[in-house]
Amino acid sequence: MSTYNVPPTIRSLASEIAALAAVRGVDVYAVGGTVRDAIIGRAMHDLDITVSQDALGFARALADALGGHFVELDDEQAIARVVLDGRAVSYVDVAELQGSLDADLRRRDFTINALAAPIEGGEVVDATGGVADIDVRVVRMISAGALDEDPLRALRGARLASEMGFMIEPTTLAAIRARAPLVRRAAAERCRDELARVFALPAAYGAVVLLDECGLLEALLPEVTFGRDVTQASDFHAYDVLRHSLHAVEAVDMLLVERGSIGEASWLADAFWEAFGWCEGDLRIHFADELSGGRTRGALLKLAALLHDVAKPQTRTVEDDGRVRFLGHAEEGGTIAARVMRRLRFSAAEVRYVSRLVAEHLRPVQLAQIGEAPTRRALYRFYRDLGDAVPGVLVLSLADAAAARGPQMTSADWTRHVRYMNSLLVRSYGDEGILDPPRLLTGDDIMSRFGLKEGPIVGRVLSALREAQGAGEVTDRARAWDFVAAQIVEEEQAEP
């Protein structure tokens, strides 16, 4: 028999839960992923418990005792969440036993999740052989009926296997493949949350490849799989559109992972951080920042990498000389990406971020002719239009290049490309006035001097003035007055 040893980080919390259970006269068990992760030795970010009765009442009392917040997840099944702040875990999920403990565990999805133990440690209740499957690193379904009961379990199985580095047992893999189309029946928010956990993985590429092998990628993101076998220009692209998109995710993995934690092709990351080392801390903080719902910019960047060429199948043309082109695919891709994100119930901020990355992923290499440096005006417009999406666009553009060439990418070409992207940041941050030109005139100044009323003309003149400052054409107040006067004349002449 296996023993559940309470991780030191949650011993105090487990004791508080046990004390409350004793007062309320209920049995309480650590279950599922909590016991599984303790056996494996993985860090815990949440705690799953089951109580013998009155789960909702117990969860409310627990929230009060711990100074947390009670959230009812499922009234019918008696499941609630206690959200915590400043504790060892972010939340405690509380469920009510459905029958006996053994019967309750047998209704779960995979054997490695069908585990329970006393909250303060003790003998593991292993109803389906989950401990043995942990030992051999296998994800095995308890029954096909469990997958039928909740279609999202197929997606969760693939995600768990990727997250833990386990293999999916063959019969289970076949069952997941057979039921992959049914995942669309699950609530969009639940699908979103599982996908978000996939893209949050340090090695999201392997997880997305597994989703494709299971048929889950086609079920959830058919727009992406339309790129399968869609060929590109062979003199520049090593892969078809789908494989290129998958390898773009892999490239983002490499560029964002902690230094020294990757082996093959680590020179891609080495050259990247050699160039961007001056702002490494800021970049890592930027991509680790939560944009919405616990989802970070880094995870969303990987999703954008998968979606960045989503419009290539419908924009593909072949010229008379045999050249393959995808005119307008970035802009159209941004529209499709937004539609996909809304379908999966991502927040408005996430929709804007990902669709902007997709729509603008070609922008960095279009700022100037090959071999030339972008003008100050081009850089000003780049930052004005993209705002805080600039780092994501730069990394996505680099990942796109790495995935395009694949094994044909040389170290010299990559280093040259990375240095160009870095120069866009260095120049913009180093050249005073490109990013945030000083305010030389206000709207009140302009209205007072030229007798104008508040309105769109004043806004357009101020916008033009800021661009001229960013471009280095206006550097002081005297020149600003001359520029504004000329702009007002143009506005008046343009009026019907």
Side-chain angles (χ1 to χ4, degrees):
M1 283 291 182
S2 183
T3 301
Y4 167 63
N5 297 309
V6 182
T9 55
I10 64 167
R11 281 178 188 161
S12 175
L13 178 60
S15 295
E16 291 177 82
I17 294 172
L20 179 64
V23 169
R24 296 180 68 89
V26 299
D27 298 323
V28 58
Y29 303 92
V31 293
T34 295
V35 179
R36 178 199 69 215
D37 289 349
I39 293 172
I40 296 171
R42 297 176 76 211
M44 286 188 187
H45 303 289
D46 55 76
L47 179 61
D48 293 326
I49 64 174
T50 292
V51 295
S52 55
Q53 60 185 0
D54 191 24
L56 299 183
F58 185 86
R60 287 191 180 93
L62 185 63
D64 291 340
L66 300 178
H69 303 283
F70 170 85
V71 180
E72 186 176 299
L73 299 180
D74 189 328
D75 177 53
E76 185 176 337
Q77 297 294 322
I79 302 173
R81 173 169 294 175
V82 177
V83 181
L84 303 174
D85 185 27
R87 302 297 296 245
V89 297
S90 299
Y91 58 86
V92 179
D93 278 347
V94 184
E96 189 167 314
L97 274 179
Q98 306 295 311
S100 69
L101 180 59
D102 183 83
D104 188 272
L105 293 176
R106 291 181 184 278
R107 279 194 291 270
R108 290 176 175 257
D109 47 11
F110 302 100
T111 63
I112 59 174
N113 290 336
L115 303 170
I119 187 66
E120 291 190 283
E123 187 176 296
V124 173
V125 180
D126 181 4
T128 61
V131 173
D133 282 339
I134 289 174
D135 289 340
V136 296
R137 303 176 68 81
V138 162
V139 173
R140 185 191 312 273
M141 65 184 179
I142 292 174
S143 68
L147 300 185
D148 293 330
E149 183 180 317
D150 182 358
L152 192 75
R153 285 174 167 173
L155 177 57
R156 184 180 300 132
R159 191 262 301 167
L160 280 172
S162 299
E163 194 174 275
M164 298 187 295
F166 283 20
M167 292 187 62
I168 301 178
E169 179 267 332
T171 302
T172 303
L173 181 60
I176 289 174
R177 284 174 175 157
R179 291 160 176 78
L182 302 181
V183 76
R184 290 190 289 262
R185 296 181 182 175
E189 292 84 355
R190 298 179 69 214
C191 293
R192 173 201 63 202
D193 291 346
E194 285 291 340
L195 279 175
R197 294 183 70 172
V198 165
F199 288 104
L201 295 173
Y205 166 72
V208 178
V209 169
L210 179 58
L211 294 185
D212 187 39
E213 292 174 351
C214 291
L216 291 162
L217 189 63
E218 183 171 358
L220 291 169
L221 298 170
E223 297 88 346
V224 173
T225 58
F226 291 159
R228 196 185 313 276
D229 299 326
V230 175
T231 58
Q232 308 189 76
S234 58
D235 58 340
F236 185 75
H237 283 276
Y239 308 108
D240 66 19
V241 172
L242 175 59
R243 287 194 297 159
H244 165 74
S245 299
L246 293 171
H247 283 294
V249 176
E250 181 183 32
V252 176
D253 281 342
M254 290 181 180
L255 297 182
L256 296 190
V257 77
E258 289 296 325
R259 293 215 223 183
S261 58
I262 55 176
E264 186 179 353
S266 63
W267 56 271
L268 291 169
D270 291 342
F272 175 75
W273 288 117
E274 182 180 342
F276 285 87
W278 64 276
C279 60
E280 178 173 357
D282 289 339
L283 281 179
R284 292 201 181 278
I285 290 172
H286 175 83
F287 288 120
D289 275 349
E290 174 187 334
L291 196 60
S292 181
R295 296 176 288 275
T296 66
R297 286 192 183 91
L300 293 167
L301 171 58
K302 294 180 185 182
L303 175 54
L306 184 65
L307 293 169
H308 80 280
D309 278 348
V310 71
K312 274 192 170 179
Q314 56 265 53
T315 58
R316 185 181 188 274
T317 59
V318 182
E319 304 296 308
D320 292 340
D321 60 2
R323 186 169 42 155
V324 179
R325 306 185 72 182
F326 302 95
L327 296 177
H329 80 272
E331 296 80 3
E332 177 64 19
T335 301
I336 295 173
R339 187 162 63 239
V340 169
M341 298 287 286
R342 284 192 291 266
R343 185 178 72 224
L344 289 169
R345 301 293 191 270
F346 282 92
S347 71
E350 292 169 303
V351 172
R352 285 193 301 271
Y353 181 71
V354 170
S355 61
R356 180 173 292 176
L357 296 190
V358 172
E360 302 286 0
H361 75 271
L362 297 178
R363 182 86 170 266
V365 296
Q366 294 174 338
L367 289 174
Q369 296 296 321
I370 295 176
E372 297 181 2
T375 64
R376 286 177 60 103
R377 184 182 297 277
L379 285 174
Y380 173 82
R381 290 178 173 176
F382 180 59
Y383 279 86
R384 178 198 65 192
D385 295 347
L386 272 66
D388 70 351
V390 165
V393 169
L394 293 180
V395 174
L396 178 54
S397 185
L398 284 168
D400 184 23
R405 303 299 293 161
Q408 301 167 19
M409 174 67 79
T410 67
S411 177
D413 286 344
W414 176 248
T415 299
R416 185 162 47 249
H417 201 52
V418 166
R419 287 176 177 171
Y420 167 76
M421 294 297 178
N422 179 57
S423 73
L424 301 183
L425 282 182
V426 171
R427 279 192 62 202
S428 300
Y429 282 96
D431 291 355
E432 183 178 352
I434 290 184
L435 290 187
D436 188 20
R439 179 176 294 186
L440 297 177
L441 299 175
T442 68
D444 289 338
D445 292 335
I446 294 171
M447 289 187 289
S448 175
R449 181 154 181 169
F450 294 97
L452 297 175
K453 295 181 179 180
E454 186 174 349
I457 289 179
V458 177
R460 288 196 295 268
V461 169
L462 280 173
S463 179
L465 174 60
R466 286 182 61 80
E467 181 172 322
Q469 288 181 251
E473 297 168 359
V474 174
T475 56
D476 56 42
R477 192 173 171 89
R479 293 184 183 180
W481 280 123
D482 292 340
F483 178 86
V484 166
Q487 287 295 120
I488 290 174
V489 169
E490 288 186 15
E491 288 282 349
E492 290 173 346
Q493 291 176 345
E495 288 183 350

